[in-house]
């Protein structure tokens, strides 16, 4: 009897593990496939509706001067080697420093983040954050995340016969994008490559992350610091990869 019980528990556990991994790996794989087949026009619509809902719930119009906006935009488009038709950089105001990459190639950067910059000449630190967000766009992380959370909620909804959680999850997801450690690493690696290519040091980004880490409380963890416990590790990686010390000479 005891042996049978152990066998039963083992089989149940094994099934639980198989279901868990199929579910997590499957949704990662599935979201990658779906993200790749969603037409660019639909991705844009998803991004735009995210921005609309964030504008209502979270943001105010930017208070940055046109001069500052133009300066940052110019450096950003130079950095990503794209124009405003390919990536749209938007400025918004909120009390906390943050930046977001949204489906359809949108990046939103908040005034408070720009104000934390220690380099108003070339904004090397802000460029670091924007390069990180460009990495999220490159790999369609926000779209994949929306698909993944949508899938999970849709499957749960199917089993419990209630899809209201599905709708709520999607709305919530738009406002609190929190990426996995894997996605953050990919975006950081992309940022390091882009910054190195443009001969911009990564140290200012590392310093900015540290400053924001000290400033932010648990409630308002900026997107690019969402993997909070490993911020130290990420900062060290950025410092290690920092070349171009002649940048400021
Ligand atoms: Zn990020």
């Amino acid at each position: 009897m005891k042996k049978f019980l152990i066998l039963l528990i083992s089989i149940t556990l094994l099934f639980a593990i198989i279901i868990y991994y199929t579910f997590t790996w499957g949704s990662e794989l599935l979201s990658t496939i779906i993200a790749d087949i969603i037409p660019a026009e639909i991705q844009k619509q998803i991004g735009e509706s995210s921005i609309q809902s964030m504008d209502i719930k979270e943001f105010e119009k930017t208070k940055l001067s046109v001069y500052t906006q133009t300066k940052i935009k110019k450096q950003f488009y130079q950095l990503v080697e794209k124009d405003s038709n390919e990536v749209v950089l938007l400025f918004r105001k909120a009390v906390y420093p943050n930046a977001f990459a949204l489906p359809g190639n949108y990046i939103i950067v908040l005034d408070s983040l720009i104000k934390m910059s220690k380099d108003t000449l070339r904004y090397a630190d802000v460029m670091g954050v924007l390069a990180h967000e460009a990495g999220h766009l490159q790999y369609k992380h926000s779209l994949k995340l929306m698909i993944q959370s949508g899938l999970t909620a849709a499957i749960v909804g199917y089993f419990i016969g209630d899809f209201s959680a599905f709708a709520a999850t999607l709305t919530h997801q738009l406002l609190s994008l929190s990426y996995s450690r894997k996605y953050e690493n990919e975006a950081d690696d992309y940022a390091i490559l882009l910054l190195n290519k443009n001969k911009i040091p990564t140290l200012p980004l590392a310093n900015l992350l540290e400053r924001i880490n000290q400033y932010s409380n648990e409630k308002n963890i900026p997107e690019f610091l969402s993997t909070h416990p490993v911020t130290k590790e990420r900062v060290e990686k950025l410092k290690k990869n920092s070349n171009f010390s002649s940048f400021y000479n």
Side-chain angles (χ1 to χ4, degrees), residues 58-240:
E58 292 279 307
F59 302 151
E60 290 171 41
K61 279 186 183 153
T62 179
K63 295 276 191 308
L64 294 177
S65 69
V66 175
Y67 174 76
T68 305
Q69 289 182 47
T70 313
K71 200 167 160 184
I72 291 169
K73 272 187 178 168
K74 194 177 161 228
Q75 305 206 15
F76 168 72
Y77 286 117
Q78 220 171 347
L79 176 73
V80 293
E81 292 175 346
K82 284 181 177 143
D83 61 34
S84 56
N85 291 316
E86 293 164 289
V87 184
V88 183
L89 179 63
L90 299 167
F91 297 92
R92 293 290 190 274
K93 185 177 178 273
V95 285
Y96 48 87
N98 209 344
F100 310 84
L102 296 166
N105 285 330
Y106 288 100
I107 292 178
I108 296 180
V109 57
L110 301 180
D111 291 9
S112 317
L113 180 90
I114 311 280
K115 283 184 181 149
M116 287 186 89
S117 175
K118 293 271 186 202
D119 174 15
T120 50
L121 189 66
R122 282 182 274 195
Y123 289 102
D125 41 14
V126 173
M127 288 306 124
V129 172
L130 296 181
H132 173 96
E133 297 304 325
H136 283 312
L137 287 186
Q138 177 72 18
Y139 301 112
K140 297 187 184 146
H141 286 157
S142 54
L143 186 64
K144 284 186 198 172
L145 201 69
M146 282 179 192
I147 295 165
Q148 277 169 29
S149 60
L151 270 182
T152 314
I155 293 167
V156 171
Y158 175 80
F159 280 113
I160 62 170
D162 177 10
F163 283 92
S164 58
F166 174 63
T169 308
L170 277 187
T171 315
H172 176 73
Q173 205 62 58
L174 301 180
L175 282 168
S176 59
L177 287 172
S178 123
Y179 297 117
S180 66
R181 197 171 159 168
K182 180 181 167 242
Y183 284 5
E184 291 304 341
N185 275 330
E186 281 179 355
D188 277 345
D189 290 345
Y190 186 86
I192 291 169
L193 269 177
L194 210 55
L195 294 169
N196 282 346
K197 198 177 161 199
N198 284 272
K199 298 192 168 30
I200 299 172
T202 51
L203 191 63
L205 171 61
N207 293 339
L208 179 66
L209 294 188
E210 277 182 329
R211 282 204 302 284
I212 294 171
N213 201 26
Q214 285 165 1
Y215 160 92
S216 65
N217 57 37
E218 287 301 316
K219 234 174 91 189
N220 279 323
I221 299 169
E223 184 288 307
F224 45 88
L225 286 182
S226 55
T227 51
H228 214 51
V230 293
T231 298
K232 211 172 150 237
E233 200 182 292
R234 293 176 59 200
V235 164
E236 269 160 24
K237 184 168 147 190
L238 287 165
K239 283 184 176 171
K240 217 172 72 196

